[in-house]
Amino acid sequence: MAQAPETRWPGIGVAVVFMAFSGLFLWMAQRQIPIGTAYAVWTGIGAAGTFLVGVHYYGDPTSIARYAGVALIVAGVATLKMAH
């Protein structure tokens, strides 16, 4: 079902604000750690966060394997950071 126009624009505005903060935090992180590690952490958080929002707010399907995949992403990102 399509979203009503009166609720679409605030949602777009919130998304743009969060994207701006996300880019700012990536820029701040890469000043302290290598860009490859910073980007991996940034995308890992985004992937895990998007998965969790999809499951909790949009009813995306879940399984042990899907949660294990997210856990592997988080473990990989943590390993990259600790190896720095």
Side-chain angles (χ1 to χ4, degrees):
M1 175 177 244
Q3 196 175 24
E6 60 272 359
T7 60
R8 183 174 299 145
W9 291 110
I12 291 171
V14 168
V16 168
V17 168
F18 278 112
M19 284 188 280
F21 276 111
S22 179
L24 173 67
F25 293 144
L26 174 61
W27 175 76
M28 290 169 57
Q30 65 87 33
R31 294 186 329 179
Q32 301 293 320
I33 58 178
I35 188 65
T37 303
Y39 185 74
V41 170
W42 185 66
T43 57
I45 290 170
T50 301
F51 169 75
L52 292 173
V53 167
V55 166
H56 292 287
Y57 292 103
Y58 297 105
D60 287 356
T62 63
S63 68
I64 297 298
R66 290 183 60 140
Y67 280 107
V70 171
L72 287 170
I73 291 170
V74 172
V77 166
T79 302
L80 276 174
K81 177 62 178 110
M82 288 187 295
H84 162 43

